[in-house]
Amino acid sequence: MKKKFNQYTLQSWFKTFKGVGKQLIIPFTIFQAIRTILLPTAFDVLLLAIFILIAFAFQNEWI
């Protein structure tokens, strides 16, 4: 049987990493969007999509 996930039992380093990620994902996404508008490449579009998905996951508390 799988052990259920409890967010209150996370290690302190993971909580710190998660907090830093929440603070940095929006500026990275904005920077990447500007870069994609100016010099669009396939890698830039893919990276922007990944950043948007991560920001969406943080917003909905999936991570």
Side-chain angles (χ1 to χ4, degrees):
M1 181 177 261
K2 284 188 174 181
K3 185 178 178 182
K4 290 189 177 186
F5 178 74
N6 185 357
Q7 70 179 6
Y8 299 109
T9 61
L10 295 176
Q11 295 180 3
S12 64
W13 64 268
F14 185 75
K15 289 180 185 178
T16 304
F17 182 76
K18 183 178 171 183
V20 169
K22 278 185 178 182
Q23 291 178 0
L24 293 179
I25 194 64
I26 297 299
F28 283 161
T29 305
I30 292 170
F31 173 77
Q32 189 61 34
I34 293 170
R35 180 180 162 156
T36 302
I37 289 170
L38 296 176
L39 300 168
T41 63
F43 176 73
D44 287 331
V45 174
L46 179 65
L47 191 60
L48 179 62
I50 290 170
F51 283 165
I52 289 172
L53 289 175
I54 292 172
F56 186 72
F58 273 130
Q59 182 68 26
N60 290 325
E61 296 181 2
W62 291 345
I63 297 179

